[in-house]
């Protein structure tokens, strides 16, 4: 997904039937909208390229 903007990536998902997106961010301090969008795109790229590992839970 090279050079895809946040809006392009997630509009595609909404057009495909996605109705809601939630991001749970654990960080010290404030997270800027730009940083969150950058992380969200990186997560999506990892999923598409298979660089993810399924886990049973996060806690």
């Amino acid at each position: 997904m090279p050079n895809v903007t946040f809006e392009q990536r997630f509009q595609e998902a909404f057009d495909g039937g996605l109705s809601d997106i939630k991001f749970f961010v654990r960080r010290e301090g404030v997270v800027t909208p730009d940083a969150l969008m950058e992380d969200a795109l990186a997560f999506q790229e990892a999923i598409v390229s298979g660089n993810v590992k399924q886990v049973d839970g996060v806690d």
Side-chain angles (χ1 to χ4, degrees):
M1 242 182 275
N3 301 320
V4 174
T5 67
F6 181 87
E7 290 80 6
Q8 290 168 325
R9 172 59 183 97
F10 287 99
Q11 188 60 53
E12 178 182 314
F14 282 117
D15 290 346
L18 184 67
S19 61
D20 192 11
I21 297 174
K22 291 180 177 57
F23 297 100
F24 298 93
V25 179
R26 290 184 181 183
R27 287 194 184 163
E28 298 281 329
V30 176
V31 177
T32 66
D34 287 339
L36 180 61
M37 289 188 289
E38 185 178 323
D39 286 351
L41 284 174
F43 296 150
Q44 292 300 310
E45 181 58 32
I47 292 167
V48 168
S49 63
N51 291 329
V52 294
K53 178 181 174 186
Q54 183 172 341
V55 296
D56 292 331
V58 295
D59 293 323

